[in-house]
Amino acid sequence: MMGRDGNISVIRIGALAAIVGVLIIIGAAISFFIDRASRQVPLDIELYPGAMTWGQRANSGSARTVYYQISGEIAPEQVKDFYQQKMDQFYPADTERELRECKRDPRDGNFNEYDEGVPNKIPYQWSCLFDRSGFQVTQFTRVNIMPGINDTAGMTIIAYEQTWQP
């Protein structure tokens, strides 16, 4: 850092600052691209224990819905409680409660179509949104939980609606 004359060399300090600046910019760019690449796949959320794969539908090259079923006496509300715990772990504590809470649709009772006896209509569903989207990058999984109907009566159905950045 010192010049030949024993004084501080402005040129050497400037060169060192430029090198450090370039390294910081390169590190930031690498970090950005690593983060972006991590969002180019579906967001995996732990599956409810005992749930079995029931099928899958590709909605596009970067969106799909995966269906699971749970046999037995497991109520949709029990499954919702499991995913609510996962949401509480997924989101930072300072996130608004409204954003990190599973929501029931409709809030009370059943859908009108179900009450009217329309075939193949579910009575209600819970939706839990796990969103990891960032700066111009989309990545989320919406977990829909509903009671089974028709041939799945007595079961609980889980649908993972997943969207990610291509």
Side-chain angles (χ1 to χ4, degrees), residues 28-86:
I30 289 171
S31 175
F32 172 79
F33 287 112
I34 288 173
D35 182 65
R36 187 165 176 91
S38 75
R39 296 170 198 261
Q40 294 178 330
V41 295
L43 176 59
D44 286 326
I45 303 300
E46 183 180 342
L47 185 61
Y48 187 87
M52 298 178 57
T53 303
W54 190 34
Q56 179 173 318
R57 180 181 74 221
N59 303 332
S60 72
S62 61
R64 70 179 181 191
T65 304
V66 183
Y67 298 94
Y68 302 94
Q69 61 183 356
I70 303 169
S71 300
E73 299 298 317
I74 308 295
E77 289 71 21
Q78 289 176 268
V79 178
K80 184 273 300 182
D81 291 341
F82 172 83
Y83 285 104
Q84 183 61 61
Q85 287 180 333
K86 296 298 171 195

Side-chain angles (χ1 to χ4, degrees), residues 1-145:
M1 293 294 122
M2 305 299 256
R4 291 185 188 161
D5 61 358
N7 293 326
I8 295 177
S9 172
V10 176
I11 294 175
R12 288 184 182 170
I13 290 177
L16 179 62
I19 291 170
V20 169
V22 167
L23 290 175
I24 289 172
I25 290 171
I26 290 171
I30 289 171
S31 175
F32 172 79
F33 287 112
I34 288 173
D35 182 65
R36 187 165 176 91
S38 75
R39 296 170 198 261
Q40 294 178 330
V41 295
L43 176 59
D44 286 326
I45 303 300
E46 183 180 342
L47 185 61
Y48 187 87
M52 298 178 57
T53 303
W54 190 34
Q56 179 173 318
R57 180 181 74 221
N59 303 332
S60 72
S62 61
R64 70 179 181 191
T65 304
V66 183
Y67 298 94
Y68 302 94
Q69 61 183 356
I70 303 169
S71 300
E73 299 298 317
I74 308 295
E77 289 71 21
Q78 289 176 268
V79 178
K80 184 273 300 182
D81 291 341
F82 172 83
Y83 285 104
Q84 183 61 61
Q85 287 180 333
K86 296 298 171 195
M87 286 182 74
D88 292 340
Q89 295 167 3
F90 181 82
Y91 287 106
D94 62 348
T95 303
E96 287 182 47
R97 185 71 184 162
E98 175 74 17
L99 298 176
R100 59 185 175 99
E101 192 170 79
C102 294
K103 294 171 182 51
R104 188 181 192 280
D105 190 24
R107 277 191 118 103
D108 297 310
N110 297 323
F111 287 116
N112 290 335
E113 294 86 6
Y114 179 79
D115 286 339
E116 293 168 0
V118 175
N120 301 320
K121 294 294 181 182
I122 59 170
Y124 63 90
Q125 77 175 9
W126 288 95
S127 291
C128 308
L129 178 63
F130 296 85
D131 192 352
R132 194 171 164 254
S133 300
F135 179 71
Q136 296 184 348
V137 178
T138 302
Q139 184 188 42
F140 67 85
T141 294
R142 181 185 323 274
V143 179
N144 295 317
I145 306 152

